[in-house]
Amino acid sequence: MTEEVHWDEDLEVDAVVQNLSIHRYMRDSNSEVQLSNELVDFVELTCGHRMPVDYVVAWFKCYLKQKETEFSCPHFIVDQGKTCGTKLSYQEICQLIPLSDKQREFLEENLAAIVARRLFDFKSCPGCQSHVERRNRNNLCVKCTICTANMRQTYYFCWKCRREWEGATNNAEYCGNSACGQRVTEPDPLKPCTPEFKEEKLMKEGKCIYPVKDKSPQRKRLALLINNVDFKDNVRTGADKDELSMERLLKGLGYSVVTLRDLSAQGMSTAMRDFSQRKEHADSDSCFVVLMSHGDESGICGTFDSSSQDDVFPTDEIFKFLNTPNCAGLRDKPKIILIQSCRGGNPGNLDVPDSVPIRGTRREHKEKDFCCFRSSTPDTVSYRNKEKGSHFIQDLVEIFNQHAHEDDIEELFRKVIMKFRETHDEQMPCKERTTLCKKFYLFPGL
């Protein structure tokens, strides 16, 4: 992969160079993607399970994001039909894996912040963003010594609203700032579906709509989000925005999101294998898989040495892991795949291929109930704004927020395509390997 090509000062493409040879990948009996130059290191955990190092590190980061300080082995044990779940501490991870300085710094800073929140009463100062401990829990007025030194005058801020202090400096309820003490929540951009709309749709088109479980603790929707940001020779600037936008959308739609960052091709393969076997799928009605990375015509790039193009995850693997024989929990349920990546280096075109599901009467087809929506057509680039994120993810989230309460999934995708036609004619998303035999409504909020 070359250094990213700039469309303008704010746009980049998620592409790989065209003139490098593409290596073929083979699957062994353990369904592992084999990298031709053995780029990936494996680690054997204390439970005896052997996994790619980058996959283990990504899971540890995922646990930290959920404010957990212990790591559980995510390996699915086929014979027992369950995830391993053996606990490992950060110290044990350090003994098993030679972490880079960047990885160690990230993990230790986040671990320290989680532990500190549990042991001490502290927040970040709105003036300098440094962490400040509140000594007197009966007073909302807190002094920041760093801001005080920098400004050469005493700086206080409010513990509740996190703004510079206004009013008397001894108050346990609120400061003098407007709305302090009142809970201000950002409005949810996702429009909720009304019970009346859902009831009417199911009454009129029930046989043509995939069954959707009502919102309850028993419904366990899962989504897998893989976001490759830090490559050995570049960073996908703006990808953080896409990750946050997708997480918020999927959580709003009722999915528990597993976010894994910076995986090799082997790491992505292992992630898909374990995700396909999660027991929660049996109590779900659908799933989402979102992959965001660099890419080319052969697949999705891992974060290893991109200059050799040996680290590419074939998109065909996604369908194999989630198909009828390999993922019983999602049989007859919609499996929605979203891929943000380039598929080559050519300018965009308007060729949007689509497929028609074929379903037998007695035997189940091995690949059905899929809908894959990709950010670009074959051989073309996908653009990403370094400040706002990619056109594809940001527009998709906007369309879902505005119309998921009334449209089925394929109509939502059509509206995304229409928006690209009107605003981003240099790029065109497309559906692929779509085998949905019914309409899939998300009915947000219900």
Side-chain angles (χ1 to χ4, degrees), residues 40-43 50-57 264 266-267 270:
V40 177
D41 291 326
F42 283 77
V43 61
R50 184 172 176 268
M51 289 177 286
V53 166
D54 58 284
Y55 180 56
V56 174
V57 173
S264 63
Q266 183 63 74
T270 306

Side-chain angles (χ1 to χ4, degrees), residues 242-290:
D242 288 346
E243 182 178 310
L244 291 173
S245 297
M246 279 306 308
E247 284 181 333
R248 182 172 186 180
L249 172 65
L250 292 170
K251 289 175 182 177
L253 293 171
Y255 293 84
S256 296
V257 185
V258 176
T259 301
L260 301 178
R261 271 207 179 197
D262 302 332
L263 295 178
S264 63
Q266 183 63 74
M268 286 186 273
S269 178
T270 306
M272 283 303 310
R273 172 195 177 276
D274 288 338
F275 179 77
S276 70
Q277 301 303 312
R278 291 282 293 261
K279 62 181 181 180
E280 292 94 333
H281 293 318
D283 298 315
S284 178
D285 51 24
S286 57
C287 85
F288 272 78
V289 173
V290 184

Side-chain angles (χ1 to χ4, degrees), residues 31-284:
S31 298
E32 291 182 349
V33 176
Q34 300 301 305
L35 304 185
S36 59
N37 62 351
E38 299 182 352
L39 287 170
V40 177
D41 291 326
F42 283 77
V43 61
E44 184 172 316
L45 302 182
T46 54
C47 54
H49 294 127
R50 184 172 176 268
M51 289 177 286
V53 166
D54 58 284
Y55 180 56
V56 174
V57 173
W59 259 108
F60 200 91
K61 289 181 178 180
C62 181
Y63 275 93
L64 289 177
K65 197 169 189 177
Q66 298 167 9
K67 311 304 180 187
E68 297 290 338
T69 57
E70 279 191 324
F71 166 80
S72 296
C73 173
H75 180 80
F76 182 79
I77 307 172
V78 178
D79 296 340
Q80 299 179 19
K82 66 176 185 178
T83 300
C84 172
T86 299
K87 299 286 187 182
L88 291 97
S89 66
Y90 173 66
Q91 289 75 17
E92 290 173 302
I93 293 293
C94 289
Q95 292 173 1
L96 295 168
I97 300 174
L99 297 171
S100 67
D101 291 340
K102 187 175 183 180
Q103 289 173 331
R104 188 180 294 273
E105 180 181 2
F106 175 87
L107 296 176
E108 290 181 357
E109 282 186 357
N110 281 271
L111 275 170
I114 294 171
V115 172
R117 287 189 184 96
R118 293 176 180 176
L119 298 177
F120 306 104
D121 188 20
F122 78 93
K123 291 183 179 179
S124 59
C125 167
C128 64
Q129 304 306 313
S130 63
H131 291 110
V132 179
E133 182 183 1
R134 180 170 65 151
R135 301 290 178 86
N136 183 359
R137 292 176 181 256
N138 295 318
N139 190 1
L140 292 176
C141 183
V142 180
K143 177 181 177 181
C144 175
T145 56
I146 294 178
C147 287
T148 297
N150 290 339
M151 296 178 177
R152 297 183 179 179
Q153 63 181 28
T154 305
Y155 180 86
Y156 296 104
F157 70 92
C158 176
W159 198 253
K160 181 171 286 186
C161 69
R162 288 189 65 250
R163 288 179 286 178
E164 187 172 358
W165 185 266
E166 294 287 342
T169 57
N170 192 357
N171 198 316
E173 296 181 0
Y174 51 83
C175 70
N177 286 304
S178 62
C180 181
Q182 300 177 17
R183 186 176 180 181
V184 180
T185 57
E186 185 180 348
D188 189 348
L190 180 64
K191 292 183 180 179
C193 177
T194 63
E196 294 77 16
F197 176 84
K198 181 180 180 180
E199 183 179 353
E200 181 181 355
K201 275 292 176 184
L202 293 177
M203 185 177 298
K204 291 182 178 180
E205 306 177 44
K207 293 182 179 180
C208 301
I209 296 175
Y210 279 100
V212 176
K213 293 179 180 290
D214 292 332
K215 185 177 181 180
S216 72
Q218 287 71 43
R219 187 183 71 181
K220 301 184 185 301
R221 287 178 170 176
L222 277 184
L224 175 64
L225 195 163
I226 296 175
N227 187 19
N228 288 341
V229 181
D230 292 321
F231 290 74
K232 290 194 177 295
D233 50 3
N234 69 83
V235 175
R236 291 182 59 247
T237 312
D240 288 342
K241 301 289 186 181
D242 288 346
E243 182 178 310
L244 291 173
S245 297
M246 279 306 308
E247 284 181 333
R248 182 172 186 180
L249 172 65
L250 292 170
K251 289 175 182 177
L253 293 171
Y255 293 84
S256 296
V257 185
V258 176
T259 301
L260 301 178
R261 271 207 179 197
D262 302 332
L263 295 178
S264 63
Q266 183 63 74
M268 286 186 273
S269 178
T270 306
M272 283 303 310
R273 172 195 177 276
D274 288 338
F275 179 77
S276 70
Q277 301 303 312
R278 291 282 293 261
K279 62 181 181 180
E280 292 94 333
H281 293 318
D283 298 315
S284 178

